[in-house]
Amino acid sequence: MMPRANSGNFFEDFRTGQTIRHATPRTVTVGDVAVYNALFGPRFAVQSSDAFAEKIGYPRSPVDDLLVFHFVFGKTVPDISLNAVANLGYANCRFLAPVYPGDTINASSEVIGLKENSSRKTGIVFVRSSGFKQDGSKVLEYVRWVMVRKRDDKAPAPPEHVPRLPDIVTPSTLGDACPPLDMAGYDFELAGSSYRFGDYEAGEKIDHVDGITVEEAEHMMATRLYQNTARIHFNQFAAAQDRFARRLIYGGHVISLARALSFNGLANAFHVAAINGGRHVAPLFAGVTVFAWSEVLAKAELPGRSDVGALRLRTVATKDRPCPDFPYKSDGADDPAVLLDLDYWVLMPR
Amino acid sequence: MMPRANSGNFFEDFRTGQTIRHATPRTVTVGDVAVYNALFGPRFAVQSSDAFAEKIGYPRSPVDDLLVFHFVFGKTVPDISLNAVANLGYANCRFLAPVYPGDTINASSEVIGLKENSSRKTGIVFVRSSGFKQDGSKVLEYVRWVMVRKRDDKAPAPPEHVPRLPDIVTPSTLGDACPPLDMAGYDFELAGSSYRFGDYEAGEKIDHVDGITVEEAEHMMATRLYQNTARIHFNQFAAAQDRFARRLIYGGHVISLARALSFNGLANAFHVAAINGGRHVAPLFAGVTVFAWSEVLAKAELPGRSDVGALRLRTVATKDRPCPDFPYKSDGADDPAVLLDLDYWVLMPR
Amino acid sequence: MMPRANSGNFFEDFRTGQTIRHATPRTVTVGDVAVYNALFGPRFAVQSSDAFAEKIGYPRSPVDDLLVFHFVFGKTVPDISLNAVANLGYANCRFLAPVYPGDTINASSEVIGLKENSSRKTGIVFVRSSGFKQDGSKVLEYVRWVMVRKRDDKAPAPPEHVPRLPDIVTPSTLGDACPPLDMAGYDFELAGSSYRFGDYEAGEKIDHVDGITVEEAEHMMATRLYQNTARIHFNQFAAAQDRFARRLIYGGHVISLARALSFNGLANAFHVAAINGGRHVAPLFAGVTVFAWSEVLAKAELPGRSDVGALRLRTVATKDRPCPDFPYKSDGADDPAVLLDLDYWVLMPR
């Protein structure tokens, strides 16, 4: 008899070109939004207030972009990364349509590359994962690569293929998840800052000042909300045997914390349009206080749009380390306080 | 002047045949569902996705059966078990109608038996508790018996009556809370498993593999969500004086954890139709990691229904003990790792 | 270049007569209500059940008064009290209109007084803060005074003005947030108590019996839900340098705990109509168990209303100290167990 429980795919189970439809579809509700707000405390006005969103042309407040990302990511875990050793990177993540409470999200992944490691014990799996609404329209797409264990070291490796991935999402493709807006209705005082697209300069750095300490109950609630089943986040009994002897916090948790912290300095950066890439530089554990700072890497106008412009940001999150001096690298190596190095595009009123 | 605060009923306050209407009515919302999801992480597609539920004939996703149970149970606490020493057992628990967000739940209990203990300090109270919707229709019914303190040891005991209780809910009475479904619309891939009613065999055992560590904040949030006021769950100051010196976690918490864990192996068991009986074998405290396994005790077809069949399950939850070898009893005594021994019926697509 | 992050106003930045519109507008949802219920466990039937509320004349359950207060208070923090040393007091807090899920809340504050302290390092700022719905109608108004640091000790102080504040909200102004009700539809059994306005006597004291232990994850979730950004609640890294070496819990948290505990003895006090004043006598930290008791200070009929009457209550919350003997003051000094001394008006069915 076959085992009933899912033990996930191992490296040798994947084939380039294969498509996997993921369980479990999920209707996003105002309840999910409230739990997310309680866990991270974002304050971007567009997502916080239906009245504010309606005044600029949305039918109501869209769901936070990162919450949509976490829902899609969570669905991929049982099929893609249940036997992962490490999540290696992201590329070409694009938000393609706004999601509203009541929408149901599905996800699927295409395997776009495979490469066995020289140890023959693991291999790298490249997937393009997509999130869809109930009507089949795509809301999100991203590439992730992850190191996955082999079930059997001696199993033959699938044919090697390493995909070419863009370093950056080109600005001309941004904005699909942001309808044309009427910025005459955008109230900068209510939004919390007078700084708009034109006020930021490439190269400037922003200390987001505040810090948030993370508790075990919080990261587990967040990760369960996303139906992300990666065992290492929930199981202290098993974690006690591991190198860190602690539950490892889902990498997306620090992304959401950094995004919420970034409000203080980027209050009008209301939409994450794309993620160019990201590195989880160090693991996060409960008890740590997370701080963040951002650098404006570039600015871009969007073709045909006078309502919003795009800032390319690097946001760096740190552990137990305030960021007035923007800790990042020293002598080419990552500063030991750095947790996250995220490169992404946000949209702002012009 | 009478004390304004409720000090609950003591054993000698109950009379067989008495009916008690419980406070507080509660409208169930998508907010409650989201908090429940964040605390337990269930992944059954019918409850997770309105679109999935609609494709098989529900008007929308029904509320998780156990969340309904916890709401009804919580309401009974101030009247039935505020002065309880121990919750002894459940029988004949039947889910009778689906509950949807927006429905308001009320509860009442009938005292169906009383038996003083030989110590004369406590007695056993048997109640049949029922949950109702705002229109008066019954959604849930179960028998519980609980050991309750006497206010005054010397008070005369009420007349003794011990009700006859069924060992098992007969399969022909199952399914009232599951409308006739169109299983052509049931997408097994999205639901997370291809195994349906016909694939399971009586006698087979399933390790649910994963473990979840419980935090104080989580069980208190859950139990407050249900408006369950049993003091021992919330009050560390008082608990410090007790035998365990810890807040005791509501027994329903481990039931919900075990049910969520059971998705891994029973992904299509989307509806709990009845609970035959259950024992809280050992108390649960924060910091423990909960694991679970299930045995298929029996299978049953439902009269006149070709859409779903019923599996009778024993689900066993353990503390800090993975379950590949299905720990249960040794030499007739409970395995010291066992927390919960639950006997219930689930419905699955045929 | 101006710093992008908000560093808040300092004492010398305020001017009497100045009005500040606060960010971030917030749509209140059933999700927020559910998270609040999970964190505090209130059981007042009007707020818990749409069906109960509709039977007495509400269009649906109104949002808990204190949740509305916390939302408004949270919005004022970045502008008023980010550089506060201490929150000194409240006066003349009136709830003016019911708030329902779907309403969007905005807030603004008028500076009504300023007084530099003799140290010249700090000053007292008096503000009248107001909460509004999306249609501009006012839902809440209160005066708060807070000690705020100066940016520069040598900066000249703004002109001194100390407003006259009422000791008490006059009963004839109560009830605006409570529509005329049909008390024939009020089911006292479902509400959890038979005691109504006429049953309480001025001078009587009520022990609320139960205790609730507070966890770090809980108070941070609550305070983030309100988008309250006061740093001391979230940042253990910074707090470790402070006098208490602990995250200080938002003062509103103990108010909500005391209100939820007060259900046991005041189950029909369904609406907080006004807060006359309040003192945070001692700081609250995680791990403490909170208890509460109340005294009926006065009773008042409302002009032209036969549906509800008002009780003026003093509710005292304590830390790790049950309240059968109503601890408050000894020899004129606060009992060392007292956390909160709150003076407010509630409405009850007559």
Side-chain angles (χ1 to χ4, degrees):
Chain A
M1 194 174 67
M2 291 288 292
R4 303 296 182 194
N6 172 34
S7 55
N9 289 307
F10 291 84
F11 178 67
E12 64 265 41
D13 298 328
F14 291 98
R15 288 296 172 273
T16 299
Q18 173 188 13
T19 295
I20 303 171
R21 291 174 73 223
H22 304 298
T24 300
R26 170 64 177 264
T27 303
V28 185
T29 72
V30 292
D32 298 318
V33 170
V35 173
Y36 188 81
N37 287 344
L39 290 167
F40 298 102
R43 288 181 286 145
F44 298 96
V46 170
Q47 285 76 21
S48 179
S49 163
D50 284 338
F52 191 99
E54 289 164 13
K55 279 220 176 88
I56 58 171
Y58 282 95
R60 63 184 294 189
S61 284
V63 173
D64 191 289
D65 305 299
L66 293 179
L67 180 54
V68 175
F69 177 85
H70 297 320
F71 276 131
V72 173
F73 186 102
K75 292 181 197 330
T76 70
V77 166
D79 297 315
I80 305 300
S81 51
L82 208 59
N83 300 303
V85 181
N87 201 29
L88 298 174
Y90 305 101
N92 207 24
C93 172
R94 295 169 60 219
F95 292 87
L96 300 168
V99 172
Y100 299 101
D103 284 338
T104 296
I105 295 179
N106 294 307
S108 69
S109 297
E110 184 189 1
V111 180
I112 60 167
L114 292 165
K115 183 180 187 311
E116 193 181 41
N117 287 317
S118 56
S119 70
R120 300 206 55 197
K121 293 182 176 172
T122 58
I124 300 174
V125 180
F126 299 80
V127 289
R128 178 179 292 112
S129 297
S130 302
F132 302 90
K133 285 198 198 189
Q134 62 281 4
D135 64 4
S137 61
K138 197 183 277 195
V139 297
L140 172 66
E141 181 182 278
Y142 65 93
V143 172
R144 171 162 79 117
W145 55 107
V146 57
M147 192 188 304
V148 176
R149 267 188 292 273
K150 289 175 73 179
R151 184 185 287 105
D152 172 8
D153 293 1
K154 299 186 199 71
E160 179 171 320
H161 175 72
V162 176
R164 291 182 54 186
L165 297 171
D167 288 337
I168 179 174
V169 177
T170 50
S172 64
T173 68
L174 300 176
D176 287 352
C178 178
L181 298 176
D182 173 13
M183 285 306 169
Y186 192 99
D187 184 325
F188 288 83
E189 204 170 19
L190 279 187
S193 166
S194 62
Y195 298 119
R196 55 177 79 199
F197 179 69
D199 295 312
Y200 290 86
E201 295 168 25
E204 73 166 286
K205 294 179 177 178
I206 303 161
D207 175 14
H208 301 307
V209 180
D210 306 312
I212 300 184
T213 306
V214 180
E215 301 292 325
E216 298 280 14
E218 294 168 354
H219 76 82
M220 292 199 296
M221 286 185 66
T223 310
R224 278 188 299 244
L225 185 73
Y226 319 141
Q227 298 174 312
N228 178 328
T229 61
R231 293 160 188 168
I232 192 64
H233 309 319
F234 300 107
N235 185 333
Q236 182 57 40
F237 180 83
Q241 322 296 322
D242 289 351
R243 181 161 55 121
F244 300 113
R246 303 287 304 278
R247 277 162 278 176
L248 182 66
I249 295 178
Y250 164 49
H253 203 79
V254 70
I255 297 178
S256 283
L257 286 170
R259 168 75 176 150
L261 289 167
S262 79
F263 177 87
N264 200 359
L266 291 162
N268 292 314
F270 66 89
H271 172 47
V272 174
I275 300 174
N276 298 309
R279 290 187 308 133
H280 293 294
V281 178
L284 175 62
F285 300 102
V288 163
T289 302
V290 175
F291 296 84
W293 64 273
S294 295
E295 178 176 358
V296 179
L297 298 176
K299 296 179 64 174
E301 300 187 2
L302 303 191
R305 295 191 71 154
S306 58
D307 52 350
V308 291
L311 296 188
R312 183 182 171 193
L313 300 174
R314 167 183 292 128
T315 292
V316 173
T318 61
K319 52 181 170 185
D320 293 332
R321 171 76 157 81
C323 299
D325 58 342
F326 314 115
Y328 187 43
K329 290 179 185 279
S330 46
D331 302 328
D334 293 306
D335 184 289
V338 171
L339 288 166
L340 172 75
D341 178 5
L342 192 71
D343 179 341
Y344 60 113
W345 287 105
V346 293
L347 301 193
M348 267 199 172
R350 296 189 61 168
Chain B
M1 196 173 67
M2 290 288 292
R4 303 296 181 193
N6 172 34
S7 55
N9 289 308
F10 290 84
F11 178 68
E12 63 265 40
D13 299 329
F14 291 100
R15 289 294 172 274
T16 299
Q18 173 188 14
T19 294
I20 303 171
R21 291 173 72 224
H22 305 297
T24 300
R26 170 66 177 265
T27 303
V28 186
T29 71
V30 293
D32 299 317
V33 170
V35 173
Y36 188 81
N37 287 344
L39 290 167
F40 298 103
R43 288 182 285 144
F44 298 96
V46 170
Q47 284 76 21
S48 179
S49 164
D50 285 338
F52 192 98
E54 288 164 12
K55 279 222 177 86
I56 59 171
Y58 282 95
R60 64 185 294 188
S61 284
V63 173
D64 192 289
D65 305 299
L66 293 179
L67 180 53
V68 174
F69 177 85
H70 297 320
F71 276 131
V72 173
F73 186 102
K75 292 181 199 328
T76 70
V77 167
D79 297 314
I80 305 300
S81 51
L82 208 61
N83 300 304
V85 181
N87 201 28
L88 298 174
Y90 306 101
N92 207 23
C93 172
R94 296 169 59 219
F95 292 87
L96 300 169
V99 172
Y100 299 102
D103 284 337
T104 296
I105 295 179
N106 294 308
S108 69
S109 296
E110 184 189 0
V111 180
I112 60 168
L114 292 166
K115 182 179 188 312
E116 193 180 42
N117 287 317
S118 55
S119 70
R120 300 205 56 194
K121 294 182 176 172
T122 57
I124 300 174
V125 180
F126 298 80
V127 290
R128 178 178 293 112
S129 297
S130 302
F132 301 91
K133 286 199 198 188
Q134 63 280 4
D135 64 4
S137 61
K138 198 182 278 195
V139 297
L140 172 67
E141 181 183 279
Y142 64 93
V143 172
R144 172 163 78 117
W145 56 107
V146 58
M147 193 188 303
V148 176
R149 266 188 292 273
K150 289 174 74 179
R151 185 186 286 106
D152 173 7
D153 293 2
K154 299 188 199 71
E160 178 171 320
H161 175 72
V162 176
R164 292 183 53 187
L165 297 171
D167 288 337
I168 177 175
V169 177
T170 50
S172 64
T173 67
L174 300 176
D176 287 353
C178 178
L181 299 176
D182 174 12
M183 285 306 169
Y186 192 100
D187 184 326
F188 288 83
E189 203 170 18
L190 279 187
S193 167
S194 62
Y195 298 120
R196 56 177 80 199
F197 179 69
D199 294 312
Y200 290 86
E201 294 168 26
E204 74 167 287
K205 294 179 176 178
I206 302 161
D207 176 14
H208 301 307
V209 180
D210 305 312
I212 300 183
T213 306
V214 180
E215 301 292 325
E216 297 280 14
E218 294 167 354
H219 76 82
M220 292 198 297
M221 286 185 67
T223 310
R224 277 188 299 246
L225 185 74
Y226 319 141
Q227 298 174 312
N228 178 328
T229 61
R231 295 161 187 166
I232 192 64
H233 308 319
F234 301 106
N235 185 332
Q236 182 58 40
F237 180 82
Q241 322 297 322
D242 288 352
R243 180 162 55 123
F244 300 113
R246 304 286 303 278
R247 277 163 277 175
L248 181 66
I249 295 178
Y250 164 49
H253 203 78
V254 70
I255 298 178
S256 282
L257 287 170
R259 168 75 176 150
L261 288 167
S262 78
F263 177 87
N264 199 358
L266 291 162
N268 293 314
F270 66 88
H271 172 47
V272 174
I275 300 175
N276 298 308
R279 289 186 309 133
H280 293 294
V281 179
L284 174 63
F285 300 103
V288 163
T289 302
V290 175
F291 296 84
W293 64 272
S294 295
E295 178 176 357
V296 179
L297 297 177
K299 297 179 63 173
E301 301 189 1
L302 303 190
R305 294 190 72 154
S306 58
D307 52 350
V308 291
L311 296 189
R312 184 181 171 192
L313 299 174
R314 168 183 293 128
T315 292
V316 173
T318 61
K319 52 182 171 184
D320 294 332
R321 171 76 156 80
C323 300
D325 58 342
F326 314 115
Y328 186 45
K329 290 182 187 277
S330 45
D331 302 328
D334 293 306
D335 185 290
V338 171
L339 289 166
L340 172 75
D341 177 5
L342 192 72
D343 179 341
Y344 60 113
W345 288 105
V346 293
L347 300 192
M348 268 201 170
R350 295 189 62 168
Chain C
M1 193 174 69
M2 290 288 292
R4 303 295 183 195
N6 173 34
S7 55
N9 288 308
F10 290 85
F11 178 69
E12 63 266 41
D13 299 329
F14 292 98
R15 288 295 173 272
T16 298
Q18 172 188 14
T19 294
I20 303 171
R21 290 174 72 224
H22 305 297
T24 300
R26 169 65 176 263
T27 302
V28 185
T29 71
V30 292
D32 298 316
V33 171
V35 174
Y36 188 81
N37 287 344
L39 290 167
F40 297 103
R43 287 182 286 144
F44 298 96
V46 170
Q47 284 76 21
S48 179
S49 162
D50 285 337
F52 190 98
E54 289 163 13
K55 279 223 177 86
I56 59 171
Y58 282 95
R60 63 184 294 188
S61 283
V63 173
D64 191 289
D65 305 299
L66 293 178
L67 180 54
V68 174
F69 177 85
H70 297 320
F71 276 131
V72 172
F73 186 101
K75 293 182 198 327
T76 70
V77 167
D79 297 314
I80 305 300
S81 52
L82 208 59
N83 300 303
V85 181
N87 201 28
L88 299 174
Y90 305 100
N92 206 23
C93 173
R94 295 169 60 219
F95 292 87
L96 301 168
V99 172
Y100 299 101
D103 283 338
T104 297
I105 295 179
N106 295 307
S108 70
S109 296
E110 183 189 0
V111 180
I112 60 167
L114 292 166
K115 183 180 187 310
E116 193 180 42
N117 287 317
S118 56
S119 69
R120 300 205 56 194
K121 294 183 176 172
T122 57
I124 300 174
V125 180
F126 299 79
V127 289
R128 178 179 291 113
S129 296
S130 302
F132 302 90
K133 286 198 197 188
Q134 62 281 3
D135 63 5
S137 62
K138 197 182 279 196
V139 298
L140 172 66
E141 182 182 278
Y142 65 92
V143 172
R144 171 163 78 117
W145 55 106
V146 57
M147 192 188 303
V148 176
R149 265 188 293 272
K150 289 175 74 179
R151 185 186 286 104
D152 172 8
D153 294 0
K154 299 186 199 71
E160 180 170 319
H161 175 72
V162 176
R164 291 183 55 187
L165 297 172
D167 289 337
I168 178 174
V169 177
T170 50
S172 64
T173 67
L174 300 176
D176 287 353
C178 179
L181 298 176
D182 173 13
M183 285 307 168
Y186 192 99
D187 184 327
F188 288 82
E189 203 170 18
L190 279 187
S193 167
S194 61
Y195 298 120
R196 55 177 80 199
F197 178 69
D199 295 311
Y200 290 86
E201 294 168 26
E204 73 167 288
K205 295 179 177 178
I206 302 161
D207 175 14
H208 301 308
V209 180
D210 305 312
I212 301 184
T213 306
V214 181
E215 301 292 324
E216 298 280 14
E218 294 168 354
H219 76 83
M220 291 199 297
M221 286 185 67
T223 309
R224 278 188 299 246
L225 185 74
Y226 318 142
Q227 298 175 312
N228 178 328
T229 62
R231 294 160 186 166
I232 191 65
H233 308 318
F234 301 107
N235 185 332
Q236 183 56 41
F237 180 84
Q241 322 296 321
D242 289 352
R243 180 162 55 123
F244 300 114
R246 304 287 303 278
R247 277 162 277 176
L248 182 67
I249 295 177
Y250 164 50
H253 203 78
V254 71
I255 297 178
S256 282
L257 286 170
R259 168 75 177 151
L261 288 168
S262 79
F263 177 87
N264 200 359
L266 292 162
N268 292 315
F270 65 89
H271 172 46
V272 175
I275 300 174
N276 299 308
R279 290 187 308 133
H280 293 295
V281 179
L284 175 63
F285 300 103
V288 163
T289 302
V290 175
F291 295 83
W293 65 271
S294 295
E295 178 177 357
V296 179
L297 297 177
K299 297 178 63 174
E301 301 188 3
L302 303 191
R305 294 192 72 156
S306 57
D307 53 348
V308 290
L311 296 188
R312 183 182 172 193
L313 300 174
R314 168 184 292 128
T315 292
V316 173
T318 61
K319 52 182 171 184
D320 293 332
R321 170 78 156 81
C323 300
D325 58 342
F326 314 115
Y328 186 45
K329 290 182 187 276
S330 46
D331 302 329
D334 293 307
D335 184 289
V338 171
L339 289 165
L340 172 75
D341 178 6
L342 192 71
D343 178 342
Y344 60 112
W345 288 104
V346 294
L347 300 192
M348 267 201 171
R350 296 188 62 166

